[in-house]
Structure formats: structure tokens, C-alpha cells
């Protein structure tokens, strides 16, 4: 596989180019986007199997010696994230085509979406810190465009917050990259753990905090989360679904890599406190809101707290729990936003005081909402329970009882806020509507939502094998391992 | 890194930060531009001492470090794209409501102004 | 930002720009192809063409970008495709992505010429950047025209600028 990994970025970008050339025809653009998304998804699944059975894959570009070439590395963590990311983006692409909203009709939608796929794929495969930054930029630029595509007053207002904060985040990140290079003389993810370990403690701490602020803003952790609940609800539902499911998790992925591989055993207390604050503030914010999309957006923040808690605890068991949590969280969160998209499509709003009795009008939709909602809250038969159990068990093992207490209380509060949506929107009498009967929406939207909800159930059903994979991934990430990200001899 | 470079970077960073903290999008864009330049200079200084052009196979011995220069080129291009996007957004904001001030989150304000939200909720549970 | 009405157009600027246009275009091509071993490259060259377009926009107003023979979106697409194709073709020959081939030719009359396949990549970037600047100007022109229509008709014209 000489150039294999490069194609995960190049193919979506080529799709972007084709979509530009075919700007006149929406059908042509959709076909290109679908073909590329399906291709990349299938290839990423093949890559995951290959990486799990054979070992990490490395690709260098341009035929340069390894030290100065651009490298892409696929280890277990990267390949796993790649698969989930691509499956979700493919599902949401189909959903958006079914919905056919005004945004989706724009000639810029398909190219921007494909660029988003390229950026996300690249971020999970980047073999050095600077490439990670570049791929972040690709996905951010695409997300700026998708978020403000309509150019309405509301989108521009909330988009401004999103764009400015993320631009500042990019600047902090690139400052971090420059300082890492200045102190260690390398940016390769394979070499950095060793070189960083040789640095004086103070320097390493400064670098780790700089990167933590940059990635933390992307992941929306406690003091840096305020942009998220403001901006995501303004986007059209399919866009906010893919943002909610994926984009913050790219930040979590980066924190996971940097904190476990590069700066092990540092910032533990800081991360724990941040994690607890993120959980609490997110869920309290969710309870206060009166709009489905905004409640769900605050939940993203709250859930990020669990992942950060796992990262803070450290060790193979904790990292495995985090990996499983991310795998469970992405489809759950995406499906909740997709359900909200169906509601909004029909009712034209997601404000709780204007919705009522949805369960009476469409029992299936109620089920589609209830399954991921309960899973998010962490109720037993669903995948969320297993993820939370993992984090909580490690917390107890390590004697950090207070983070466990916070996690459990927040879990109950999550359930409470979900019940708020349930009683507000799904329960009660159907409004005196003249068009009673089922909600009207495109069958593709329902089909995709079913698929994603089924995926969340599959995560619960196959929790054993997935958890096993998560444990192998965590073992790979252990700093004691000889070749942490597989960037050894290519 | 010479003192002059360090001082220049410090000035660019501080002025940029000051501008970014404003509410007017125009000032934010100027601030982002200055911050970007500061970061680019920082990247340039992150390499080792200056030397000959880093072209392999031409007999030069005292090569300068090519990596920061490659990084800075990329960062400049990205900076251009970001500033172009921000400018178009400021222009759009100006065509919509005649100014470019970043406004508060309306929905948040509505909830903060509504004292009975919390009480309603208390009854429900 | 807005284009000048016909009455306030400056003849001097107009004439200067007309004279400068071919020179600048030549410089753009030169900068693009010298970029392999010297400062320059597709990005800088594309921006110089962009400057030509901006100058035209200043002198001729929105007409300048209305008369473009091709849709800028298509130009962006073609440039990106060319750049990516240059990267992907080496894969067919078993080399790595973006690897550059170098041919040294000895042309009659011209003398020894070094041709590199990465020049095509630069050309792609050149086309792409040109397209991006043109697309920005077209969007501005549309917004401009819209605003003027809004003023004339005193109607609150609502629409997208993208």
C-alpha cells in the first residue's frame, strides 16, 4: 500500500473538485458525493480489519526521506475513528439528500461536505502534529461554510462566535506546534513521546497545557465550551447532526493522543476537575434550556466530560473505556439530532413549548428518540451503560470516588433533561392539528435514522468484541510500548 | 531568536489579542491578522540558526532548517483563507443589519430573563 | 468596496490597468513556473492574476466579473483536480503520492531544459487560486448589485449571496 492512506484524503478532495466542476447539476453533485463517501467508508472498514490483524500502516508522501516527508499513519485508534467517522458522515449525507433542505440545494453544499470528510479522515490519520493542524483547518473551513451556508441573520450571528473562537483555537494550536518543534526538533508523532520525555518538566508542562487549551476548545471542555450550544442549533439539522456526533470527538481524539502518549501522568488533577465541571455545567445548562436542539447541544458538552474523565484517570483500562465511550457516543448523539431533524422538518420548530403529543402521531419516532436518549443517560441495556460503567469502574479502582459520584449524579440529571424533552414534545395530547396522522418526512430520513439507531443497539449487542478491540487499542497507546503509533520502519 | 524578533512577536501577539477581544468584527479580523503574523514569525524562529538554502545535492553544507519554512508557507495560505472567510462574513453581517458587532446569544438571554423557568422545572420533577 | 458609478470612474486608473494587465499576467505565469527552485509558485502566481481581477473590478465595476467566460466554481474544480491528479498519477507507477518525476531534455535551439511533473501541481494551484479570487469577486458583485437594487426599489431584498 504505497499511497493507500493518502487516498482517504485525496479521494474526498477529488470529489470536492468534481462537485465544483459539476456545480450546475445537483443530481451530479449528489452522485459524486455518494460514490466517494461509500468508497471511503468501505475502504476504511477494510483498513480497520487490516490494521487489527496485520498491524499499523504507514504512508510517506512525495518520495522524500522519512524525516521530512508528510506521513499518514493508521493504527488501531486512528482506523477505528476513521470507520465511525466515515459511516456517520455517509449516513448523514443520505439523510440530507432525503431532506433536500435549502442548504442542501446550494452548489457549495456537496463540495463543503466532501471537504469535511477529507479533513476528518486526515485528522485521524495524520502522522505528525503539523498535519494534524492542517487537517483540522480543512475540516474547520468546511464546517464554517456548512454552518453559515444560508447566510441568514441567525446563522451569521452564531456562526461569528463559532468561527472567531475556532480561529483563535487554530492560532493557539499552531503556536503550540511551533513551540513543540522549537523544543524537540521534530513533529513526528512516533518520535515525539521520546523527545518530550527528555524535556525539563516545566517546558513539557507548558507545551501540554498549550495543546490542551487548543484541543480542549475544539472538544468543548468546561471553560471553553460556550461557543457550542450557541452555534450548533443554528445549523440545519443534518449539519448539526454530523457536527454534534463527530467534530468535538476529533478534539477528544487529539486530547487522547497527546495526553496518553506524549504527556503521560501530567495534568491528572487538572483534567479531573475540568472533566467534572464539564459534566455538571453541560447537564445543568441542558436542564435550563427550552429547545430540543439546545438541550441536545448542552448534552454534548456534558458527555465530553465523561471522556475527559477517562483520559485523566489514565491506564489501559481507562483508555479502553474512553475508546468505547467515543464509539458509543458518536452514533447516539447523531441519531438524536437526526430525530430532531425529522421533528423540525414537519413542525418547523424544535421549541418545546410549541411541540406536543408527537408520540401519539408517530409511535415509531418516539421509539427512535427514546432508545438513544436512554442510552445517552446510561440506562442498563443500552450502550451508554457499558461506557459509563467502564469509566466509573476505573474511577473506583483508582480511589477517585468523587469523580464517580459526579458522574453518577450527572447521569441522573441527563435522564431528567431527556424526560423534559419527552414530556414536552412527545407526551401529551396532539395539538389541534388539521393534518393528523403520521409526521410527514422523506422515507430516506426515517431509514437513515433507523440505521443509526440500530447501530447504537449493535454497539450494545456486540459490546464484548468492541470492548476487546478498545482494550487492544488502549494497549497500543500505552507510553511504554516500543512503537507507540506504529511509526517504526515503514 | 534575536531580541528584536522576540519583541516583535510579543508586540504582534499582544496587539492582536487586544483587538480580538473587541466586539466589532472588523477589529477582530485585524486582530486575527496580527496574531497570525505573530504566529508565523514564531514558527520561523523555531528552526535552528539561518544557513544556506536547503536544497539537497547542490553541495551546500550549512543548511538552514527547511521544516519551519514549509510550515510557515502552509500557515500563510491557511491564514489567507480564514481572513477571506471572516471578511465575507463581516460583509454579510453588514448587509443584514448595518453593523458588524458580534451579538449575544439571544436564546440564552431569553432564558436568563425568564425567572420562572427553574420553578416550572422544579414542579415537574 | 462598492463599485463606482460610471461618472466617477477615473480615466487614468482605467488606462493604467489596461496597460498593466498583460504585463501582470505574464509576471503571474513567470512566478508560477520559477516556483520550483526559487521563491514563487502557483499560489503567488494565482494571487497576481487575482490582483488583475481586483483592479478590473475597481475600474469597470461589477461588469468586469459579469463578463467572465467561465464560472469561477468550475475553475476552482479544474485546478483542484489537476493538482490532485498530479499527486495521484505516480501511484499508478508504484511511486508514492505526490512524488515528482524529473525529465532532463535537450531541446534544439533552446538548450537543456529540466521538466518536472510537480510543475503541473503548481499549475493546478495557480488555476485554483485564480478561481477562488474570481469567486469572491463574483459574490461581492452579486451582493453589490443586490444592495443597489434594494436601494432603488426600496424593497428589502432577501436572498443568498452564495
Amino acid at each position: 500500500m504505497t499511497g493507500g492512506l493518502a487516498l482517504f484524503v485525496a479521494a474526498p478532495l477529488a470529489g470536492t473538485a468534481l462537485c465544483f466542476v459539476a456545480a450546475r447539476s445537483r443530481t451530479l453533485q449528489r452522485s459524486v458525493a455518494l460514490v466517494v463517501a461509500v468508497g471511503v467508508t468501505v475502504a476504511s472498514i477494510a483498513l480497520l480489519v487490516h490494521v487489527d490483524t496485520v498491524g499499523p500502516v504507514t504512508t510517506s508522501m512525495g518520495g522524500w526521506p522519512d524525516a521530512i516527508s508528510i506521513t499518514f499513519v493508521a493504527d488501531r485508534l486512528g482506523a477505528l475513528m476513521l470507520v465511525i467517522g466515515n459511516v456517520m458522515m455517509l449516513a448523514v449525507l443520505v439523510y440530507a439528500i432525503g431532506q433536500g433542505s435549502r442548504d442542501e440545494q446550494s452548489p457549495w453544499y456537496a463540495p463543503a461536505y466532501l471537504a469535511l470528510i477529507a479533513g476528518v479522515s486526515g485528522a485521524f490519520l495524520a502522522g505528525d502534529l503539523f498535519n494534524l493542524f492542517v487537517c483540522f483547518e480543512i475540516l474547520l473551513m468546511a464546517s464554517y461554510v456548512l454552518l453559515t451556508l444560508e447566510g441568514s441573520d441567525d446563522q451569521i450571528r452564531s456562526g461569528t462566535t463559532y468561527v472567531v473562537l475556532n480561529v483563535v483555537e487554530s492560532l493557539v494550536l499552531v503556536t503550540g506546534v511551533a513551540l513543540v518543534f522549537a523544543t524537540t526538533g521534530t513533529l513526528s508523532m512516533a518520535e515525539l513521546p521520546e523527545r518530550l520525555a527528555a524535556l525539563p518538566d516545566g517546558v513539557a508542562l507548558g507545551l501540554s497545557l498549550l495543546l490542551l487549551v487548543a484541543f480542549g476548545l475544539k472538544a468543548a471542555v468546561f471553560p471553553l465550551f460556550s461557543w457550542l450550544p450557541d452555534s450548533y442549533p443554528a445549523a440545519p439539522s443534518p449539519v448539526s447532526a454530523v457536527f454534534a456526533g463527530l467534530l468535538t470527538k476529533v478534539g477528544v481524539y487529539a486530547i487522547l493522543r497527546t495526553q496518553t502518549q506524549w504527556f503521560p501522568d501530567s495534568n491528572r488533577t487538572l483534567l479531573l476537575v475540568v472533566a467534572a465541571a464539564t459534566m455538571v455545567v453541560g447537564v445543568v445548562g441542558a436542564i435550563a434550556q427550552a429547545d430540543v436542539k439546545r438541550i441536545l447541544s448542552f448534552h454534548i458538552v456534558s458527555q465530553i466530560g465523561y471522556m475527559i474523565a477517562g483520559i485523566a484517570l489514565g491506564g489501559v483500562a481507562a483508555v479502553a473505556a474512553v475508546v468505547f465511550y467515543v464509539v458509543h457516543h458518536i452514533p447516539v448523539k447523531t441519531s438524536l439530532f437526526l430525530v430532531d431533524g425529522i421533528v423540525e422538518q414537519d413542525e418547523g420548530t424544535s421549541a418545546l413549548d410549541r411541540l406536543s403529543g408527537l408520540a401519539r402521531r408517530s409511535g415509531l419516532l418516539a421509539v427512535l428518540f427514546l432508545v438513544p436518549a436512554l442510552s445517552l443517560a446510561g440506562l442498563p441495556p443500552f450502550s451508554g451503560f457499558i461506557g459509563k460503567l467502564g469509566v466509573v469502574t476505573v474511577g473506583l479502582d483508582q480511589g477517585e470516588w468523587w469523580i464517580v459520584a459526579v458522574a453518577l449524579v450527572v447521569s441522573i440529571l441527563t435522564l431528567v433533561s431527556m424526560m423534559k424533552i419527552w414530556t414536552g414534545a412527545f407526551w401529551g395530547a396532539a395539538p389541534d392539528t388539521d393534518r393528523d396522522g403520521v409526521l410527514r418526512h422523506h422515507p430516506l430520513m426515517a431509514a437513515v435514522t433507523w440505521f443509526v439507531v440500530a447501530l447504537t443497539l449493535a454497539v450494545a449487542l456486540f459490546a464484548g468484541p468492541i470492548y476487546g478491540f478498545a482494550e487492544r487499542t488502549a494497549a497500543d497507546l500505552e507510553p511504554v510500548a516500543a512503537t507507540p503509533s506504529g511509526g517504526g520502519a515503514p | 531568536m534575536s531580541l528584536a524578533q522576540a519583541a516583535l512577536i510579543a508586540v504582534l501577539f499582544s496587539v492582536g489579542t487586544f483587538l480580538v477581544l473587541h466586539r466589532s468584527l472588523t477589529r477582530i479580523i485585524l486582530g486575527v491578522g496580527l496574531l497570525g503574523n505573530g504566529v508565523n514569525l514564531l514558527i520561523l524562529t523555531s528552526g535552528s540558526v539561518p544557513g544556506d538554502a536547503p536544497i539537497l545535492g547542490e553541495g551546500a553544507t550549512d543548511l538552514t532548517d527547511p521544516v519551519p519554512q514549509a510550515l510557515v508557507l502552509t500557515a500563510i495560505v491557511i491564514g489567507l483563507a480564514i481572513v477571506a472567510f471572516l471578511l465575507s462574513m463581516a460583509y454579510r453581517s453588514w448587509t443584514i443589519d448595518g453593523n458588524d458587532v458580534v451579538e449575544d446569544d439571544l436564546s440564552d438571554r431569553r432564558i436568563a430573563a425568564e425567572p420562572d423557568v427553574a420553578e416550572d422545572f422544579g414542579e415537574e420533577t | 468596496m462598492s463599485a463606482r458609478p460610471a461618472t466617477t470612474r477615473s480615466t487614468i486608473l482605467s488606462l493604467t490597468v489596461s496597460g498593466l494587465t498583460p504585463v501582470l499576467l505574464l509576471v503571474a505565469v513567470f512566478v508560477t513556473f520559477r516556483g520550483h527552485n526559487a521563491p514563487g509558485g502557483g499560489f503567488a502566481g494565482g494571487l497576481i492574476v487575482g490582483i488583475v481581477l481586483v483592479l478590473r473590478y475597481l475600474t469597470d465595476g461589477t461588469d468586469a466579473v459579469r463578463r467572465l467566460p467561465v464560472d469561477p466554481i468550475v475553475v476552482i474544480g479544474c485546478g483542484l483536480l489537476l493538482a490532485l491528479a498530479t499527486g495521484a498519477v505516480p501511484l499508478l507507477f508504484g511511486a508514492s503520492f505526490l512524488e515528482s518525476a524529473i525529465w532532463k531534455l535537450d531541446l534544439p535551439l533552446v538548450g537543456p531544459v529540466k521538466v518536472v511533473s510537480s510543475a503541473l501541481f503548481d499549475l493546478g494551484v495557480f488555476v485554483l487560486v485564480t478561481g477562488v479570487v474570481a469567486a469572491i469577486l463574483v459574490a461581492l458583485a452579486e451582493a453589490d448589485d443586490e444592495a443597489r437594487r434594494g436601494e432603488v426599489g426600496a424593497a428589502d431584498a432577501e436572498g443568498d449571496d452564495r
Side-chain angles (χ1 to χ4, degrees), chain A residues 3 13-14 17 20 60 62-63 102, chain C residues 73 77 81 84 91 96-97 160 162:
Chain A
L13 281 181
F20 277 138
S60 298
R102 234 177 99 199
Chain C
I73 303 186
L81 264 188
L84 284 168
L91 289 178
S96 59
F97 190 74
D160 353 47
R162 290 171 190 284

Side-chain angles (χ1 to χ4, degrees), chain C residues 31-117:
Chain C
V31 166
T32 303
F33 285 105
R34 96 192 267 269
H36 185 64
N37 279 339
F43 184 72
L47 281 185
I48 295 175
V49 178
I51 290 172
V52 173
L53 290 173
V54 172
L55 285 173
R56 286 266 159 190
Y57 188 78
L58 283 180
T59 53
D60 300 358
T62 54
D63 292 345
V65 291
R66 293 234 162 278
R67 289 193 315 246
L68 289 178
V70 277
D71 193 341
I73 303 186
V74 178
V75 178
I76 299 175
C78 291
L80 188 54
L81 264 188
L82 181 59
L84 284 168
T86 320
V89 165
L91 289 178
L92 301 179
F93 298 100
S96 59
F97 190 74
L98 282 175
E99 190 158 347
S100 175
I102 301 174
W103 299 281
K104 290 205 167 115
L105 307 175
D106 208 354
L107 295 181
L109 297 179
V110 183
V113 176
K114 191 171 136 197
V115 183
V116 288
S117 65

